[in-house]
């Protein structure tokens, strides 16, 4: 990729002069993105309250928790012995309080189950994942079949599919944790490696991140659909004529499934607005229509923060189903806001106009007749030579 620098800029004659002072000297390459210092207090408080009430089997407000002493959680670990018989082991957690959870989430950016000897809060029907890789092939002696392994999903016994393999291969029973983990790692990687924004690797990882975010929304909605169809929770409804077809539908239309199934309203406008933006970028970068792209680092920081809002939107979906967030989703929700870091902070920064960055290459710009008119100064970049056959 050609880097636009002061040394290769040529200015046309006009009445304007420009501040071309170089970047402030720093140790190592400049990173254009970073994370803010403080975590989101509102998310921490809401997550902590949800967790504290879940384990205490209560519905206390924050002010009510202030009046409470530390409590314990009684829970049971159920396993199967070598004979397939169920074995239950009772546990009593360490004492905890809402304030303990707030402190831990703020300091660690994650929820530590082991510290309190608490069970995983994840809903099995949504998050329980069994991933198996088979590196052997065991044909039967004297018969034309081989040893097979089968995995059951947590969507009820009536769900018709059971992943099965009888030779080298793999099987997955849920994609929730795979997608959430990938989104969390990629968002951090893009910020920490924002000195590499000019590389193909950075761009491809951004494309992957955008795609995974939309896929997680789609996957969550389909988990709701199948759970309602084959193993509905109390109070859920499954009316195919109301829900409509699963395929050939706009993602934004399928969001209505949450209310149509659970009866709870999915009301988080910031998350829905962010999802529209991320989905449109995903579509652009999947189909490369239009076949060009421009973005500024300021826009990139905004997009990475839109992803945080989409994760909060998914959290709200779970709340509509009375489903707790998984540990991996909690960690993702607690990721900090991204912000743009200019290489020379001493320069005044003017507001972005409609004729720069993504608006110059978006599908909307193409549909509306092309790139908006530029400002008073524009430099055309084009190849300096061309080789043609005679």
């Amino acid at each position: 990729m050609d880097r636009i620098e002061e040394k290769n800029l040529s200015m046309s004659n006009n009445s304007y002069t420009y501040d071309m002072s170089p970047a402030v000297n720093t140790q190592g390459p400049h990173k254009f993105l970073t994370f803010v210092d403080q975590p989101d207090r509102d998310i921490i408080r809401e997550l902590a309250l949800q967790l504290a009430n879940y384990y205490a089997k209560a519905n206390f407000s924050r002010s009510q928790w202030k009046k409470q002493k530390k409590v314990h959680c009684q829970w049971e670990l159920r396993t199967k012995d070598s004979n397939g018989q169920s074995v239950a082991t009772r546990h009593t957690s360490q004492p905890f309080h809402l304030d303990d959870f707030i402190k831990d989430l703020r300091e660690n950016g994650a929820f530590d189950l082991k510290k309190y000897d608490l069970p995983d809060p994840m809903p099995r029907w949504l998050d329980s994942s069994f991933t198996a890789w088979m590196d052997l092939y065991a044909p039967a002696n004297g018969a034309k079949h081989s040893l097979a392994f089968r995995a059951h999903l947590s969507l009820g016994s009536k769900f018709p599919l059971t992943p099965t393999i009888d030779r080298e291969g793999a099987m997955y029973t849920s994609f929730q944790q795979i997608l959430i983990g990938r989104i969390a790692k990629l968002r951090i990687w893009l910020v920490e490696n924002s000195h590499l924004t000019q590389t193909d690797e950075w761009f491809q990882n951004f494309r992957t991140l955008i795609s995974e975010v939309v896929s997680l929304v789609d996957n969550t909605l389909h988990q709701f659909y199948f759970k309602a169809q084959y193993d509905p929770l109390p109070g859920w409804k499954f009316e195919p004529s109301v829900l409509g077809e699963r395929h050939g539908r706009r993602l934004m239309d399928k969001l209505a499934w949450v209310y149509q199934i659970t009866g709870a309203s999915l009301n988080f406008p910031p998350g829905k607005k962010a999802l529209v933006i991320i989905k449109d970028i995903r579509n652009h970068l999947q189909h490369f229509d239009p076949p060009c792209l421009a973005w500024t680092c300021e826009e990139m920081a905004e997009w990475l923060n839109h992803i945080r809002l989409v994760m909060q939107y998914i959290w709200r979906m779970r709340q509509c189903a009375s489903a707790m967030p998984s540990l991996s989703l909690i960690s993702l929700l607690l990721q900090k806001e991204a912000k743009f870091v200019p290489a020379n902070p001493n320069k005044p920064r003017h507001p972005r106009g409609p004729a720069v960055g993504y608006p110059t290459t978006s599908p909307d710009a193409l549909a509306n007749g092309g790139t908006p008119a530029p400002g008073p100064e524009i430099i055309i970049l084009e190849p300096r030579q061309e080789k043609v056959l005679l």
Side-chain angles (χ1 to χ4, degrees):
M1 176 182 288
D2 291 332
R3 184 189 294 273
I4 301 174
E5 298 174 306
E6 177 186 2
K7 63 184 180 182
N8 61 22
L9 290 181
S10 59
M11 304 299 296
S12 58
N13 295 325
N14 57 43
S15 58
Y16 297 98
T17 60
Y18 294 86
D19 181 357
M20 303 294 291
S21 56
V24 175
N25 290 329
T26 58
Q27 295 294 326
H30 178 73
K31 297 183 179 182
F32 291 95
L33 299 170
T34 189
F35 288 115
V36 300
D37 294 333
Q38 297 297 322
D40 192 312
R41 293 182 179 180
D42 291 338
I43 291 180
I44 288 174
R45 289 172 179 171
E46 188 173 350
L47 271 173
L49 181 62
Q50 186 181 15
L51 288 165
N53 280 334
Y54 171 74
Y55 289 118
K57 292 186 176 180
N59 190 27
F60 297 144
S61 65
R62 281 198 292 269
S63 60
Q64 289 174 320
W65 266 105
K66 295 296 182 183
K67 303 174 184 178
Q68 299 294 322
K69 296 181 180 180
K70 290 193 175 187
V71 298
H72 295 82
C73 172
Q74 301 287 336
W75 60 282
E76 195 173 72
L77 175 63
R78 298 173 184 173
T79 58
K80 290 186 178 181
D81 61 19
S82 57
N83 297 319
Q85 299 297 316
S86 295
V87 178
T89 306
R90 293 183 65 85
H91 290 256
T92 299
S93 75
Q94 296 297 316
F96 64 87
H97 189 274
L98 171 66
D99 292 340
D100 298 326
F101 289 175
I102 291 176
K103 181 176 181 291
D104 289 348
L105 294 177
R106 182 178 64 247
E107 294 179 353
N108 304 324
F111 186 58
D112 187 356
L113 295 175
K114 294 181 180 179
K115 178 178 179 179
Y116 301 99
D117 189 20
L118 289 167
D120 195 317
M122 73 174 186
R124 289 186 56 81
W125 67 268
L126 193 54
D127 292 307
S128 179
S129 178
F130 184 86
T131 302
W133 163 256
M134 187 171 174
D135 59 0
L136 61 86
Y137 174 65
N141 297 317
K144 293 184 178 181
H145 70 273
S146 57
L147 181 65
F149 293 84
R150 173 168 290 180
H152 289 285
L153 279 67
S154 297
L155 291 172
S157 59
K158 295 181 181 179
F159 188 75
L161 302 182
T162 50
T164 307
I165 52 176
D166 70 342
R167 61 200 66 206
E168 303 85 350
M171 52 186 173
Y172 308 84
T173 61
S174 173
F175 298 107
Q176 283 283 314
Q177 299 309 303
I178 294 174
L179 290 169
I180 292 172
R182 182 73 167 146
I183 292 167
K185 291 178 181 178
L186 282 174
R187 188 174 182 272
I188 293 173
W189 188 92
L190 289 171
V191 172
E192 293 183 344
N193 292 275
S194 56
H195 58 293
L196 302 175
T197 53
Q198 76 279 10
T199 65
D200 290 344
E201 180 186 16
W202 201 95
F203 171 66
Q204 293 289 17
N205 280 337
F206 171 67
R207 284 188 65 221
T208 301
L209 173 61
I210 291 293
S211 179
E212 300 286 53
V213 169
V214 178
S215 294
L216 179 59
V217 175
D218 217 7
N219 178 241
T220 302
L221 291 170
H222 283 101
Q223 291 280 92
F224 273 60
Y225 186 100
F226 289 126
K227 179 66 174 176
Q229 183 177 7
Y230 294 104
D231 189 31
L233 296 177
W236 278 24
K237 294 182 180 180
F238 181 76
E239 301 178 8
S241 61
V242 175
L243 298 173
E245 295 293 331
R246 294 197 321 275
H247 305 294
R249 301 280 305 282
R250 294 176 64 251
L251 174 63
M252 304 310 294
D253 291 340
K254 290 191 286 188
L255 293 172
W257 288 352
V258 176
Y259 173 76
Q260 292 163 350
I261 290 172
T262 69
S265 296
L266 178 59
N267 185 24
F268 185 54
K272 187 173 184 179
K273 181 179 179 181
L275 176 59
V276 171
I277 294 172
I278 296 301
K279 177 184 64 66
D280 289 346
I281 297 172
R282 189 286 303 263
N283 291 344
H284 184 179
L285 298 186
Q286 284 293 313
H287 304 291
F288 295 109
D289 179 13
C292 55
L293 178 69
W295 54 268
T296 67
C297 290
E298 292 173 353
E299 288 172 301
M300 184 58 65
E302 293 170 1
W303 293 342
L304 293 177
N305 291 330
H306 288 328
I307 288 172
R308 291 178 71 242
L309 288 172
V310 176
M311 294 306 105
Q312 293 176 47
Y313 200 38
I314 289 174
W315 181 26
R316 307 298 176 189
M317 291 183 196
R318 288 173 174 246
Q319 289 176 338
C320 289
S322 298
M324 296 293 293
S326 63
L327 295 180
S328 58
L329 181 56
I330 290 173
S331 296
L332 184 50
L333 288 167
L334 293 175
Q335 282 196 6
K336 296 177 181 178
E337 182 180 347
K339 70 175 182 179
F340 166 65
V341 182
N344 191 333
N346 299 320
K347 293 183 181 182
R349 299 194 69 86
H350 306 300
R352 296 196 313 271
V356 296
Y358 189 65
T360 66
T361 58
S362 69
D364 287 343
L366 182 61
N368 293 330
T371 299
E377 179 61 72
I378 194 74
I379 297 176
I380 302 299
L381 302 178
E382 58 186 6
R384 295 183 178 181
Q385 60 177 332
E386 182 180 5
K387 297 178 181 180
V388 296
L389 294 178
L390 298 178

